[in-house]
Amino acid sequence: MTTLSTTFLGQTFASPLFNASGVRCFDKDELNSLLASASGSLVTKSCTREARTGNPEPRYVATPLGSINSMGLPNKGYGYYLDYAKAHDYSKKPLFMSVAGLSLDDNIAMVAAIRDAALPAIVELNLSCPNVPGKPQIAYDFDAMDRMLAAVSAEYDRPFGVKMPPYFDIAHFDLAAEVLNRYPAVAFITCINSVGNALVIDIEREEVVIKPKDGFGGLGGDYVLPTALANVNAFHRRCPEKRVIGCGGVRSGEHIFMHLLAGASLVQVGTALQEEGPGIFARLNAELAAILERKGYASIDEVRGRLKTL
């Protein structure tokens, strides 16, 4: 019998699949739709200390090969998601809380509040928010990332994870992994956030398709699958004591299987979930199970990290 269930940080997941933070998780209604779906878990919207309306519309546009967005972290503030986490039925599904403070102090305050609530929610610290004007990504500043992880590790006494942007240079994989490996509390690495600062142009209107940042935004969907797989595999190889969550370009069972082979323990779905809705998880589970059965794997754990090189 083939099973999709797995364990992660001591919790049981019926499926490795769940939403990418930012997708279908803005409020309780959207989160509850994920809870009712065939996903194995769910993650809240990346939250800031105070509620944010985000960037002006249009800020998300679907394209033939995926999507482009510059959302600007719209969210209801961490208190809203903490209240949701307090009321969540963890016997149904594990819950991740995504934290994306605009400063070190903001992140410390939020993780301290989550710590004090003593919940089984798993924290994903977002170090890769490219869509806040004037704010650099922490994960592209290795000294700043080191300071952030040192401070959060000192404040938060449980394992947590980090959401990372894509890296494109082998030296940067090495440098980032060196920082991450200094902190045993960093238990998992989510790869990747969108590929930032892309530009999509409508040739009929001769203009950009999203309003913020003069049309520059993050790519998701088919565009980013090979980059996501490279990042998953790079950190799987360089951080053997940590788990990796794959994210990027997933819209079929084959794509999930690729992420597992590259080293992912769990897999998030972004653009395809936005376009297809929560019903996508039942389809993806069925497609993944069929691949595992055809290849003779009894579980997803047998697949993880088995990618062969030439």
Side-chain angles (χ1 to χ4, degrees):
M1 292 289 292
T2 297
T3 178
L4 299 184
S5 67
T6 188
T7 59
F8 186 89
L9 297 187
Q11 299 192 48
T12 299
F13 293 68
S15 160
L17 303 179
F18 62 118
N19 62 302
S21 180
V23 183
R24 305 270 182 167
C25 57
F26 177 75
D27 57 21
K28 292 178 181 178
D29 289 342
E30 290 190 342
L31 288 163
N32 286 338
S33 73
L34 295 171
L35 188 61
S37 77
S39 72
S41 56
L42 63 159
V43 58
T44 64
K45 183 76 177 70
S46 289
C47 61
T48 50
R49 203 166 180 177
E50 305 295 334
R52 290 175 56 89
T53 57
N55 290 339
E57 301 276 2
R59 58 193 185 187
Y60 170 92
V61 171
T63 70
L65 293 176
S67 66
I68 184 170
N69 84 89
S70 180
M71 301 299 292
L73 281 175
N75 73 96
K76 289 183 169 290
Y78 85 98
Y80 180 92
Y81 303 105
L82 185 56
D83 286 344
Y84 184 86
K86 290 176 179 177
H88 179 67
D89 184 352
Y90 292 88
S91 68
K92 292 184 177 179
K93 291 182 183 180
L95 174 71
F96 291 78
M97 287 190 67
S98 180
V99 174
L102 301 181
S103 69
L104 175 57
D105 288 344
D106 284 356
N107 278 330
I108 293 300
M110 289 188 285
V111 299
I114 297 169
R115 176 202 64 205
D116 293 345
L119 301 171
I122 302 169
V123 169
E124 181 184 81
L125 181 65
N126 193 336
L127 302 180
S128 57
C129 293
N131 296 327
V132 180
K135 298 289 185 179
Q137 294 190 50
I138 292 291
Y140 283 159
D141 181 336
F142 298 114
D143 290 336
M145 182 167 69
D146 194 19
R147 291 192 297 271
M148 178 72 74
L149 294 178
V152 172
S153 295
E155 190 70 30
Y156 190 70
D157 57 358
R158 293 174 54 199
F160 65 95
V162 290
K163 177 70 171 286
M164 303 294 279
Y167 294 101
F168 304 96
D169 192 295
I170 296 297
H172 292 159
F173 288 135
D174 294 337
L175 289 168
E178 182 182 353
V179 173
L180 295 172
N181 284 330
R182 291 174 196 158
Y183 300 99
V186 177
F188 66 92
I189 306 161
T190 302
C191 306
I192 56 172
N193 206 330
S194 58
V195 174
N197 293 319
L199 188 65
V200 173
I201 295 173
D202 182 331
I203 65 166
E204 298 304 322
R205 301 180 64 170
E206 301 181 14
E207 65 183 16
V208 301
V209 299
I210 58 173
K211 185 172 183 177
K213 296 169 58 178
D214 295 326
F216 282 66
L219 286 181
D222 290 1
Y223 297 112
V224 308
L225 178 61
T227 299
L229 294 172
N231 278 258
V232 167
N233 192 242
F235 285 106
H236 171 71
R237 292 173 181 273
R238 287 166 175 78
C239 302
E241 301 303 314
K242 305 183 188 302
R243 305 289 283 273
V244 179
I245 297 178
C247 181
V250 173
R251 59 176 175 82
S252 72
E254 290 183 351
H255 297 152
I256 301 162
F257 191 79
M258 291 177 192
H259 272 275
L260 296 173
L261 281 176
S265 294
L266 303 174
V267 179
Q268 296 178 350
V269 186
T271 296
L273 169 60
Q274 179 63 35
E275 295 305 309
E276 190 170 332
I280 192 174
F281 291 112
R283 174 176 69 79
L284 293 178
N285 283 338
E287 291 178 4
L288 176 60
I291 293 171
L292 294 175
E293 185 173 350
R294 175 170 62 83
K295 287 180 164 287
Y297 290 108
S299 72
I300 63 171
D301 295 328
E302 294 181 4
V303 180
R304 184 173 66 246
R306 289 177 60 92
L307 183 66
K308 293 176 282 190
T309 57
L310 302 181

